[in-house]
Amino acid sequence: MKTLFDETQLLELKIKNRFVRSATHDGRADGLGHVTQKLIDHYEELAKGGIGTIITGLTNVTDLEKIVPTQMAIYDDSFIPEYKKLTDVVHKYNANIIVQLVCNGAQNRSKNPGVLWAPSAIEGEPTVAGATEMTKADIQLMKDAFVNGAIRAKKAGFDGVQLHAAHGYLLSRFLTPYFNRRTDEYGGSTGNRARIVLEICSSIREAVGPDYPILAKINCSDFMDQGLTPDECKYICILLEGVGLNAIEISGGTALSRANEGVIRKVTTNTESYFKKYASEIAEALNIPVICVGGHREINRLEDVVNQTKIEYISLCRPFIREPGLINRWSDGDTAPAKCISCSKCFGTETQCIFNKQAQ
Ligand SMILES: Cc1cc2nc3c(=O)[nH]c(=O)nc-3n(C[C@H](O)[C@H](O)[C@H](O)COP(=O)(O)O)c2cc1C
């Protein structure tokens, strides 16, 4: 019988419980993606709250696209000493911290985004105007940027890296037939569409050595027409395992998902753990651990998730915005469900729960 407070290990990394803070744009970096005291304090509060492994907000590997203000970044070596301070603070609480590496691509939400990289420039694409189809040289540059980001992350004391290949960001767009209409080796078949992610993963593995955890977050399905399907996702996960991935977080959805089938959903008793079915099927096909995200609110149900499936870790996002100390509350015996009502009003320049805001 598994418990949510089991100690486990990923390669050499010791993990004190099965709870993961899923990547969350915290909105506390400065205008160029650099670390602020506010960001460090925020991660200290999360680490103090009992979470075993914290995945940072999406962190840009390149400044060739405009940095979204308050989004984290890691595009040059000046970030290494700043992040060392952040990782040291988290480690004081025996928590792990993994950085989520991203290129926003066509999903860049800056007011003047500059270049909007995409696998294909799609005329009339409803989510973005003016995306640039990447050349082979752009793809090489992007692969190098991810590898350099991972090397910096290791030097800065992060316990691993997570490739953001979900939710319609650049790598995810390569996986999606609707967004990727290339006719070269980076488009077409499922394996071709996955090529950029596979190449990034194997190049990072070569650069960081065999013992450093590499994770990825992927959509089990895009839940849209001409989207990535569950079978394709499973196949890509198997390929990723083959090139050295150590764990995979299963999410789903893009900005074009059908109504109520996106990334961030309303959660009711009947729709808790909304990607569990897919994550569990993928876990059956893999030897590496699967992390399941999306709509986890009740501790008793989470015990069932890890015991009735091969899913090893449970990740949560919105509940920790409302209650950074949720895991300590649960481990201290107050097992009432997370207070988060999934209103998703936490989005903003600086992410916070509207119910926690102090009166001005
Ligand atoms: C405010 C906010 C910011 C988010 N930022 C990220 C992010 O930076 N990277 C990412 O992969 N997902 C991000 N997500 C998605 C979450 O990681 C998670 O997949 C989703 O919220 C579903 O989990 P939940 O029901 O526990 O909130 C964000 C979600 C919210 C609400």
Side-chain angles (χ1 to χ4, degrees):
M1 164 118 176
K2 290 193 250 175
T3 82
L4 295 165
F5 293 94
D6 289 339
E7 280 180 32
T8 59
Q9 204 162 318
L10 185 65
L11 301 175
E12 300 297 306
L13 183 67
K14 296 218 173 356
I15 304 179
K16 70 177 172 188
N17 59 43
R18 296 184 188 274
F19 292 105
V20 175
R21 196 293 290 255
S22 193
T24 304
H25 166 68
D26 306 290
R28 286 165 175 81
D30 74 9
L32 294 172
H34 281 278
V35 175
T36 60
Q37 190 55 46
K38 208 186 237 185
L39 189 78
I40 294 179
D41 293 347
H42 182 63
Y43 278 87
E44 177 157 22
E45 198 184 8
L46 288 167
K48 214 187 267 182
I51 302 165
T53 304
I54 301 169
I55 304 180
T56 68
L58 71 184
T59 300
N60 212 316
V61 293
T62 171
D63 63 348
L64 293 172
E65 65 176 8
K66 186 109 190 307
I67 298 299
V68 179
T70 78
Q71 179 179 321
M72 294 163 69
I74 190 159
Y75 50 77
D76 66 33
D77 287 354
S78 69
F79 287 92
I80 298 171
E82 298 177 11
Y83 283 131
K84 186 73 178 68
K85 283 190 199 147
L86 181 76
T87 58
D88 282 348
V89 165
V90 170
H91 289 149
K92 271 197 318 194
Y93 298 92
N94 196 20
N96 301 316
I97 179 160
I98 288 176
V99 61
Q100 185 183 55
L101 301 178
V102 75
C103 170
N104 293 332
Q107 208 141 273
N108 192 317
R109 295 201 177 90
S110 298
K111 280 207 180 93
N112 304 302
V115 58
L116 284 172
W117 271 311
S120 307
I122 301 167
E123 212 176 305
E125 208 246 275
T127 58
V128 65
T132 304
E133 172 159 333
M134 292 175 83
T135 62
K136 292 270 184 67
D138 293 335
I139 290 177
Q140 186 55 50
L141 188 144
M142 192 53 60
K143 287 195 284 187
D144 293 345
F146 271 94
V147 173
N148 289 329
I151 293 170
R152 288 181 196 116
K154 188 176 177 191
K155 287 184 181 159
F158 283 107
D159 298 297
V161 294
Q162 182 184 64
L163 305 177
H164 194 355
H167 307 169
Y169 289 89
L170 181 73
L171 298 183
S172 160
R173 263 177 151 73
F174 268 88
L175 303 179
T176 302
Y178 175 82
F179 293 121
N180 183 347
R181 303 182 186 182
R182 300 178 74 94
T183 53
D184 63 6
E185 68 269 33
Y186 290 95
S189 66
T190 316
N192 275 1
R193 282 183 276 120
R195 187 180 301 277
I196 186 169
V197 190
L198 296 168
E199 289 180 349
I200 288 172
C201 185
S202 59
S203 304
I204 293 180
R205 173 59 66 220
E206 229 169 82
V208 298
D211 300 329
Y212 192 64
I214 307 174
L215 291 76
K217 187 170 184 179
I218 195 168
N219 282 350
C220 57
S221 166
D222 289 333
F223 300 100
M224 61 183 263
D225 291 351
Q226 300 169 50
L228 183 76
T229 66
D231 282 345
E232 285 187 306
C233 173
K234 195 192 293 178
Y235 175 61
I236 294 168
C237 291
I238 293 168
L239 296 179
L240 280 166
E241 179 174 336
V243 295
L245 195 80
N246 301 115
I248 186 99
E249 185 177 9
I250 302 301
S251 186
T254 76
L256 292 185
S257 295
R258 294 179 288 271
N260 305 321
E261 293 188 78
V263 181
I264 293 155
R265 304 182 184 180
K266 274 272 178 204
V267 184
T268 63
T269 310
N270 295 330
T271 58
E272 280 211 22
S273 276
Y274 44 82
F275 299 127
K276 181 180 84 176
K277 169 176 169 287
Y278 303 95
S280 141
E281 279 174 26
I282 290 166
E284 291 292 332
L286 299 181
N287 297 307
I288 55 172
V290 165
I291 306 165
C292 181
V293 69
H296 299 306
R297 304 293 183 264
E298 289 182 49
I299 188 165
N300 295 341
R301 286 170 178 254
L302 300 184
E303 293 270 5
D304 291 346
V305 172
V306 293
N307 279 298
Q308 292 168 2
T309 74
K310 279 184 69 192
I311 293 167
E312 290 286 335
Y313 300 99
I314 300 291
S315 67
L316 307 89
C317 163
R318 288 167 290 175
F320 292 137
I321 299 174
R322 176 131 193 207
E323 290 178 274
L326 175 62
I327 303 307
N328 283 346
R329 167 160 84 69
W330 279 347
S331 69
D332 289 347
D334 175 356
T335 54
K339 289 183 186 154
C340 171
I341 59 160
S342 312
C343 65
S344 301
K345 300 279 192 297
C346 35
F347 279 105
T349 316
E350 181 175 323
T351 302
Q352 50 183 315
C353 176
I354 54 167
F355 298 106
N356 292 351
K357 275 190 183 163
Q358 302 296 319
Q360 298 291 320

